[in-house]
Amino acid sequence: MSKASTDRRSFLKTGAIVAAPFVALGPATAVADDGSKTRLVRLEDEKAIQALHRDVVRQVNRRERNLAEGLTGLADDPAHELQIAFAEDGKRATCRRACMASFRTDFIGTTTLEQMHRLQGQGMHRHDEPRVLVAEYVKGEDGWAIESLRLV
Amino acid sequence: MALQAYPDVPLFRYPYTDLRHAQIAAKLAVAARVGPAGKSLDNNLSGKVLSFAGDNGGKLSWTFGAGNRVTFAGKEAGYGSLDLDHLTLFAHIVPGTTTAYAVAWDRLSSAATVFELWFGGGPAPRARELNRDVHFGTMAGLDHATKEPHRRTLRLEGRAFQWQEDTGNRTIEYYPSSTYSHWVELDRLKDYRGYSAPTDYVQLTEEVYAVARIEAEFSGLLQMYLTDVNRLQQVGLRFGFNGADALEFYMFRGTGEWLGQIARFEKLGDFSADPLPIPNGKKGERRVYRPLATMDKMTREEVDAVVAKGVHVFDRPSPMAGNGTAPSGALAGKKFAIEYDGGPRMEYRFTGPDTLQWSINGGDVVPARYNAWEMMPGAFIFGHLLEGTPNHDGHIVVVDLQNGMATNYHGYLNTPYFANEAGCETLFGRVVGQGIPDPGRKRHERTRDMLGRAFTWEYSPGLNSMHLYSTPWTTSWIIPTPDGHFATEWCGSGDFVKIRDQLYFGRWQEEACNGTLGTVLINMRTMHDAGIGYHCGKQGGLSMSAVGAPSRHAGKFDVERFFPKREGR
């Protein structure tokens, strides 16, 4: 499981998170205070999830993680923002991110069409598709971790 | 088999003699001296000296003497020439060699295209298959300089003509590609099949083109001509060895008939015409599909052994169906029989969305895996293997539960040529089951609605083709380049059955070419198909796999009148 540091010190060092483009959905974590603690925890959670998301994208692009057959790269779609929906208890979150997914297909099969494509020098094909990376995260004692990832 | 100039078997079945270079040289000797035959040769170049300067620096010179004499490279030969308005085609063999030239010369502009032709030495793998290199340039020493050089073209792509030579031979010539063509001989060959071969297309003027087809993989003959597509006239040369190993070296005039135009798919404004260049290619090298060389050729024992290891029925993703129609589970729970006319009675119980039980003629009940697709309400295509049959049969069936009719492309192995090559018979029948109407004597019927049509198929990203249904018995397929030029082409036996209005069941057999039986149920309303491939090879064993793609209707050629009706089913 991938993990990200969510301690307060790391958050405060990079306190610009408030400007990050995300939309937080769902109720705030149930913490009894005047609201500032709740907001701080939420910001901390969001920052941790963003870090995890960036890790996932990096891992895919380094081919360390495979989310789909032939996937060679992921790039966040700048026209969309990261969407995070927290569970009631604040211990789970669903994250959706519009991406451009790059695929490579090698036509190495024995079908006649693949053979003829190879003859034409077209034994490999690259293409991009708009997809959505859907991630489920859970918050444990060590912070947030990835539960599942899907490219839809 | 006795040698036949124009075989009465499909060309891909004919054992063309592997002529030796020395045999070819001997057969060319007389023809080099005499020159090409022809009914109405012009041979009017006497006194001319034509010096060709090629764009690549090559220089060639011909000195024409009296009669049909020409001196080339210090050797005197017989030539033939034919004029097509202000263009001249002349041809000769270089004595003492296996090289020949066919030259298209524009007498007004001085532009010229030289087809250098030679037997043996490659790149063709057999000496009898003619090689060619195409040189563009000008005839120097003339007063007028060319403004419009000859060049490769895609302007003919998508057209088709019927040409009739002064020999009487008629041929339908389809140009669905910019590197291949597809032809149907209507006289010399008897079975009205189409064949495909690499072809050069050169634009000479706005109206006149040079087309040069070499019948690679078959006789290796050249059929080349200058064609005025506006006046529908041609002058041409046939050169090479026919099935009886006799040299054909004659020139002809012909008249044509325009048969239509299908769509081209290059980006608008793209007139580039050499879509498959070979970097640092050898002289005369081009991309020629040689399917027999790459095909697995298995014995009956090898087929049995590979089948015994296990079969693959819709158990893995198929690149041929990445964009396919989603399978249907709607047959699950149904039970019916199909009674084929002159064929078996098949009992079916569909036990799940991909499992069924079949029995043939009341025999044992056998479980099998299947997939089904519902392409119109109540009209399904499904396929399964018949485990335990000696020829490892597969049934690919379209059932119309709204009218009780069924058609089966019955595939089988152990055909006489290669045991792993799929054979196929078309069976028509009726569906018998509760709530299914009895069609009486009515059956699905073969159709010509598909004849002359072309459809593109986008199977998976980067894996596309176009079908051309060129005869009532031929399916051809053409492979596009990424920028939309259609290029390499091949073909096999086809069959076409109408299921309902705008719903057609077609097939192709990859004979002497990978051995697959491919089937498609084409819905022209949704412009999507679902089909099934039945294949046996060394690598993948015996398989049934999905075929499916969205389609574009590229158009339809008007060719029905050229094909006789064949009676019976």
Side-chain angles (χ1 to χ4, degrees), chain A residues 69-85:
Chain A
E69 180 72 29
L71 181 68
T72 59
L74 271 183
D76 287 344
D77 182 343
H80 295 85
E81 296 179 342
L82 189 68
Q83 293 189 336
I84 305 172

Side-chain angles (χ1 to χ4, degrees), chain A residues 14-34:
Chain A
T14 55
I17 189 67
V18 290
F22 60 76
V23 177
L25 306 173
T29 308
V31 178
D33 61 14
D34 63 356

Side-chain angles (χ1 to χ4, degrees), chain B residues 156-176:
Chain B
L156 284 184
E157 189 182 334
R159 298 187 212 181
F161 297 87
Q162 190 254 147
W163 293 107
Q164 178 157 16
E165 300 173 7
D166 55 13
T167 59
N169 293 318
R170 296 168 305 142
T171 310
I172 296 174
E173 303 267 2
Y174 293 99
Y175 311 135

Side-chain angles (χ1 to χ4, degrees), chain B residues 21-241:
Chain B
H21 189 260
Q23 289 175 285
I24 290 170
K27 286 171 184 277
L28 293 180
V30 172
R33 191 173 66 249
V34 173
K39 282 192 172 172
S40 55
L41 297 179
D42 289 316
N43 290 356
N44 53 1
L45 299 174
S46 178
K48 287 192 166 52
V49 176
L50 296 180
S51 297
F52 175 79
D55 295 344
N56 58 4
K59 292 189 185 305
L60 301 166
S61 181
W62 293 269
T63 302
F64 292 89
N68 77 332
R69 311 316 295 166
V70 62
T71 301
F72 177 85
K75 296 176 177 174
E76 188 181 289
Y79 80 93
S81 76
L82 287 170
D83 292 344
L84 185 66
D85 195 24
H86 59 91
L87 288 129
T88 293
L89 173 67
F90 68 86
H92 68 94
I93 299 169
V94 182
T97 73
T98 55
T99 296
Y101 287 89
V103 181
W105 168 40
D106 186 328
R107 300 189 308 278
L108 290 183
S109 73
S110 84
T113 298
V114 173
F115 290 85
E116 182 182 357
L117 310 165
W118 68 97
F119 292 101
R126 295 173 307 152
R128 71 173 301 141
E129 182 181 313
L130 196 58
N131 297 284
R132 101 298 172 238
D133 204 6
V134 186
H135 309 280
F136 302 111
T138 55
M139 289 300 184
L142 300 172
D143 294 338
H144 29 259
T146 180
K147 291 177 186 163
E148 290 293 332
H150 298 169
R151 57 185 177 270
R152 292 190 182 279
T153 184
L154 51 56
R155 290 280 305 278
L156 284 184
E157 189 182 334
R159 298 187 212 181
F161 297 87
Q162 190 254 147
W163 293 107
Q164 178 157 16
E165 300 173 7
D166 55 13
T167 59
N169 293 318
R170 296 168 305 142
T171 310
I172 296 174
E173 303 267 2
Y174 293 99
Y175 311 135
S177 155
S178 50
T179 66
Y180 261 67
S181 64
H182 183 83
W183 81 99
V184 185
E185 291 233 10
L186 298 174
D187 298 300
R188 287 179 290 204
L189 298 174
K190 303 303 180 200
D191 60 356
Y192 295 92
R193 278 176 184 273
Y195 297 98
S196 306
T199 300
D200 292 298
Y201 297 98
V202 179
Q203 184 166 12
L204 307 181
T205 72
E206 168 58 24
E207 298 168 327
V208 182
Y209 299 82
V211 179
R213 175 185 84 223
I214 290 180
E215 298 174 9
E217 294 294 274
F218 307 127
S219 67
L221 271 157
L222 167 79
Q223 174 85 2
M224 76 88 63
Y225 45 87
L226 313 189
T227 172
D228 183 329
V229 296
N230 206 9
R231 293 169 183 80
L232 296 172
Q233 294 176 346
Q234 65 172 185
V235 295
L237 167 70
R238 189 150 175 92
F239 181 43
F241 297 93

Side-chain angles (χ1 to χ4, degrees), chain B residues 448-465:
Chain B
R448 293 196 166 186
D449 290 2
M450 294 283 104
L451 176 57
R453 289 189 196 273
F455 293 90
T456 65
W457 301 107
E458 295 162 72
Y459 298 103
S460 292
L463 196 68
N464 309 299
S465 80

Side-chain angles (χ1 to χ4, degrees), chain A residues 105 107 110-122 125 127 129, chain B residues 287 289 294 319 459 461-462 464 477 479-482 487-488 510 514 539:
Chain A
T105 308
F107 299 128
T110 57
T111 65
T112 301
L113 247 55
E114 287 175 278
Q115 292 181 25
M116 293 176 81
H117 278 70
R118 289 199 291 271
L119 173 76
Q120 294 194 169
Q122 298 161 218
H125 179 74
H127 74 282
E129 289 180 17
Chain B
R287 295 180 201 261
Y289 185 48
T294 54
Y459 298 103
N464 309 299
W477 55 93
I479 308 302
T481 63
T488 315
E510 297 176 357
N514 217 19
Q539 220 180 316

